[in-house]
């Protein structure tokens, strides 16, 4: 909440004031929204007993939605030379804000309908980054189509990566450490791709680092996936206990006689679920 509050302040200022947004005013608004959103997020998480995975899903989908909103704004504007700087700032601010809010809501709904660990959320976010990185590297090829097409492809690849990530963590419980290891594997693969193409042109380097990053992600994920599946199975196992002692006799007043009568029925019934 605190991190996104700063971004929301800058985007809100751009939406309202366009390119004429005052730097000092924007900084003050950023401090205010950062504190307000951070506090609100903390209170909401405590009141609703959100898990760490639920909270991180809201964070990552909110950040992803913000970036997707910027991509959609770029696609809307394209290479339109008639749009001035003020109009562009307003469009980018509005689409980014809408994307961020929609992403946070989506992350919350996903956290309510499925169970995500912190590692699950991090791997889910990584796949969205992988999708954008792969497509973005190929967009560096010379004479690629116009900016609008590039923006749509980048945005669509990030969304597709997120959808793939959701499938990759289904029925698996990755720990936070395992999620971090997958991210480190991705970084290591990217650095390897950069190293082997250090003397090549920029396009080859961009493509090599993206492929290396995807390979590092895939190898590390494959090494940890079995453990994550076992952890999910252990956490979803259940034990049911139903104890019924009876029938027994119970004494109760007999209607209209003032005496007692016997009633046969269960004396003790205990039910427990784990």
């Amino acid at each position: 909440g605190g991190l996104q509050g700063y971004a929301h302040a800058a985007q809100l200022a751009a939406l309202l004031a366009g390119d004429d947004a005052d730097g000092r005013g924007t900084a003050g608004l950023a401090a205010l929204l950062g504190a307000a959103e951070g506090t609100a997020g903390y209170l909401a998480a405590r009141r609703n007993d959100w898990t760490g995975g639920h909270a991180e899903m809201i964070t990552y989908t909110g950040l992803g939605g913000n970036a997707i909103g910027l991509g959609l704004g770029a696609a809307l504007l394209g290479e339109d030379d008639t749009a001035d700087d003020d109009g562009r700032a307003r469009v980018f601010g509005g689409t980014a804000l809408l994307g961020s809010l929609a992403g946070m809501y989506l992350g919350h709904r996903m956290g309510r309908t499925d169970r995500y660990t912190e590692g699950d959320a991090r791997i889910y976010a990584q796949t969205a980054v992988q999708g954008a990185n792969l497509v973005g590297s190929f967009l560096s090829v010379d004479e690629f189509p116009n900016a609008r097409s590039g923006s749509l492809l980048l945005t669509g690849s990030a969304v597709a990566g997120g959808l793939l990530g959701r499938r990759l963590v289904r029925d698996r419980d990755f720990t936070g450490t395992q999620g971090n290891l997958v991210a480190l594997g991705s970084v290591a693969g990217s650095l390897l791709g950069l190293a082997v193409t250090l003397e090549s042109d920029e396009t080859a380097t961009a493509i090599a680092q993206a492929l290396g990053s995807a390979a590092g992600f895939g190898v590390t994920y494959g090494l940890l996936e079995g453990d994550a599946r076992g952890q999910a199975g252990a956490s979803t196992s259940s034990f049911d206990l139903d104890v019924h002692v009876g029938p027994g006799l119970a004494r109760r007043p007999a209607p209209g006689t003032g005496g007692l009568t016997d009633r046969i029925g269960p004396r003790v019934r205990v039910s427990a679920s784990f």
Side-chain angles (χ1 to χ4, degrees):
L3 173 64
Q4 295 194 72
Y6 291 111
H8 292 164
Q11 291 154 1
L12 182 61
L15 175 64
L16 297 178
D19 197 42
D20 297 326
D22 177 67
R24 179 175 296 180
T26 302
L29 183 61
L32 179 63
L33 282 186
E37 291 191 28
T39 302
Y42 171 78
L43 293 176
R46 287 294 302 271
R47 182 170 59 250
N48 296 286
D49 289 329
W50 289 346
T51 63
H54 188 155
E56 289 199 19
M57 287 298 290
I58 296 174
T59 297
Y60 293 135
T61 51
L63 290 171
N66 204 309
I68 288 171
L70 289 172
L72 290 176
L76 286 172
L77 291 170
E79 297 177 344
D80 184 7
D81 296 330
T82 63
D84 56 13
D85 291 339
D86 186 69
R88 287 181 172 273
R90 291 178 187 273
V91 170
F92 281 128
T95 55
L97 274 175
L98 288 175
S100 181
L101 295 175
M104 292 169 70
Y105 176 75
L106 177 62
H108 173 60
R109 297 301 305 173
M110 290 169 65
R112 285 176 61 93
T113 55
D114 292 310
R115 185 171 59 86
Y116 294 93
T117 63
E118 294 178 18
D120 292 344
R122 294 168 193 178
I123 290 175
Y124 161 79
Q126 272 288 309
T127 56
V129 173
Q130 290 294 330
N133 188 26
L134 277 171
V135 172
S137 67
F138 286 97
L139 291 181
S140 63
V141 177
D142 293 336
E143 299 181 359
F144 193 82
N146 59 49
R148 176 170 289 146
S149 299
S151 298
L152 287 174
L153 280 172
L154 272 175
T155 303
S157 63
V159 172
L163 293 174
L164 173 62
R166 193 176 182 190
R167 293 191 63 84
L168 290 178
V169 300
R170 183 169 294 167
D171 300 324
R172 298 164 180 85
D173 280 352
F174 288 92
T175 65
T177 300
Q178 289 171 331
N180 292 339
L181 287 173
V182 173
L184 288 174
S186 173
V187 172
S190 178
L191 292 176
L192 180 61
L194 288 172
V196 299
T197 57
L198 198 58
E199 301 299 326
S200 304
D201 61 89
E202 294 181 358
T203 298
T205 300
I207 293 175
Q209 69 80 24
L211 293 175
S213 179
F217 175 93
V219 169
T220 315
Y221 173 87
L223 292 173
L224 300 174
E225 186 268 342
D227 289 340
R229 190 183 292 274
Q231 287 154 190
S235 65
T236 57
S237 61
S238 62
F239 173 73
D240 295 321
L241 172 66
D242 191 350
V243 179
H244 176 197
V245 180
L249 295 177
R251 307 286 289 179
R252 68 176 182 180
T257 65
L260 296 176
T261 185
D262 291 332
R263 177 177 60 87
I264 298 179
R267 297 295 300 275
V268 178
R269 186 178 185 89
V270 179
S271 180
S273 228
F274 301 93

